[in-house]
């Protein structure tokens, strides 16, 4: 590059320094990332579900019910509606976790939608006292109550299949296990654990739990 062209007094290097170097722009501050796309619907809890990572991201509550586009890279997730970007989050790969901005939440703006904590608690009260306490506990375990709405809805809908009395008993049993989620209540109802008399000793199948070692541990 420093060698002069034949019959000329300049080289590639001298031409670069004289003409091109001053026209160059700085490199981007952030490394380029490939963008990919996905579609989603804004749920009534003001979140969208990103299926690739099985993770939920919040969007402003005014967009509830809308079809949106997710533009994601290895590091961020952007959410658009009609070419307008209204949310951007650092990508989180925690399965079934929530990434939430408080300003996006209906409760932060005192906005009441079809889903609300009060409505779920009132619904649970009609089923029974144990169910009410269980729903309250689910709501209190999340930083934002909207993050629990889908679990609450799933639990309460079990009354249609199993009846109010059994669901209330299943909530009592799940609370005794210290497990506050839809999967545990459904499992209790399927196995009939809610109908087991506490005063009767017998072989009862225990729920799956990381802290249960099993008999082989003591052999």
């Amino acid at each position: 590059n420093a060698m002069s062209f034949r019959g000329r007094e300049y080289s590639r290097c001298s031409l670069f320094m004289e003409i091109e170097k001053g026209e160059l722009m700085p490199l981007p501050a952030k490394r380029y990332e490939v963008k990919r796309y996905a579609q989603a619907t804004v749920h009534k809890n003001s979140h969208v579900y990103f299926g690739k990572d099985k993770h939920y991201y919040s969007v402003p509550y005014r967009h509830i019910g809308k079809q949106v586009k997710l533009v994601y890279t290895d590091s961020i997730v952007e959410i658009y509606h009609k070419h307008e970007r209204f949310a951007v989050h650092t990508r989180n790969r925690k399965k079934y976790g929530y990434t939430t901005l408080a300003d996006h939440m209906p409760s932060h703006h005192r906005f009441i939608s079809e889903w609300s904590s009060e409505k779920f608690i009132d619904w649970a009260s009609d089923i029974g006292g144990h169910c009410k306490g269980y729903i309250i506990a689910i709501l209190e375990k999340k930083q934002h109550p909207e993050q629990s709405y889908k679990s609450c809805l799933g639990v309460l809908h079990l009354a249609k299949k199993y009846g109010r009395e059994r669901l209330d008993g299943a909530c009592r049993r799940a609370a005794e296990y210290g497990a506050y989620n839809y999967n545990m209540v459904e499992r209790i109802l399927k196995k009939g654990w809610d109908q087991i008399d506490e005063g009767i000793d017998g072989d009862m199948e225990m729920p799956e739990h990381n802290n249960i070692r099993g008999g082989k541990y003591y052999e």
Side-chain angles (χ1 to χ4, degrees):
N1 288 332
M3 185 180 298
S4 297
F5 289 107
R6 183 176 299 176
R8 301 287 190 274
E9 295 181 356
Y10 52 82
S11 65
R12 290 183 177 87
C13 183
S14 64
L15 287 176
F16 170 76
M17 298 299 293
E18 180 182 352
I19 301 173
E20 298 177 358
K21 185 176 180 180
E23 300 297 324
L24 295 178
M25 300 292 290
L27 291 172
K30 186 176 180 181
R31 188 180 183 88
Y32 175 78
E33 292 184 308
V34 175
K35 291 187 176 182
R36 297 178 174 87
Y37 305 89
Q39 300 293 325
T41 300
V42 183
H43 296 163
K44 293 175 183 177
N45 63 357
S46 201
H47 287 76
V48 296
Y49 178 67
F50 180 36
K52 186 171 181 64
D53 294 337
K54 295 182 172 60
H55 193 86
Y56 294 89
Y57 294 95
S58 68
V59 302
Y61 69 91
R62 64 182 180 276
H63 297 290
I64 288 174
K66 292 180 180 178
Q67 296 287 327
V68 297
K69 177 186 285 187
L70 276 61
V71 180
Y72 63 96
T73 68
D74 288 339
S75 62
I76 65 169
V77 175
E78 302 172 286
I79 304 169
Y80 290 81
H81 179 66
K82 293 183 177 179
H83 308 294
E84 174 194 359
R85 190 182 79 173
F86 52 74
V88 58
H89 297 279
T90 300
R91 187 171 175 181
N92 190 325
R93 291 172 172 79
K94 181 180 179 181
K95 289 185 177 181
Y96 306 110
Y98 283 81
T99 296
T100 306
L101 295 180
D103 286 346
H104 290 169
M105 294 295 93
S107 56
H108 187 73
H109 297 270
R110 301 181 182 275
F111 171 83
I112 303 300
S113 66
E114 185 178 342
W115 290 0
S116 70
S117 298
E118 291 76 12
K119 290 183 179 181
F120 285 127
I121 293 171
D122 289 343
W123 185 353
S125 297
D126 291 337
I127 294 173
H130 296 296
C131 185
K132 178 182 178 180
Y134 193 75
I135 291 299
I136 291 173
I138 291 177
L139 291 166
E140 289 179 346
K141 282 187 173 294
K142 296 291 187 179
Q143 182 179 4
H144 303 283
E146 290 86 354
Q147 296 173 340
S148 303
Y149 285 175
K150 293 196 73 175
S151 291
C152 291
L153 191 66
V155 169
L156 295 170
H157 273 162
L158 289 170
K160 294 181 179 179
K161 183 175 182 180
Y162 296 98
R164 295 185 178 187
E165 184 176 348
R166 286 200 62 192
L167 177 57
D168 196 51
C171 288
R172 174 183 60 81
R173 182 73 69 183
E176 291 173 354
Y177 295 152
Y180 293 92
N181 57 73
Y182 166 82
N183 290 333
M184 177 55 74
V185 178
E186 183 189 37
R187 183 176 177 83
I188 289 171
L189 290 167
K190 283 184 175 180
K191 297 290 185 179
W193 295 336
D194 59 295
Q195 298 176 312
I196 296 175
D197 190 338
E198 290 181 348
I200 298 177
D201 293 329
D203 294 331
M204 184 180 76
E205 183 180 354
M206 294 298 292
E208 294 179 359
H209 195 285
N210 292 334
N211 290 333
I212 297 177
R213 299 187 178 97
K216 293 183 178 180
Y217 178 85
Y218 298 97
E219 292 180 355

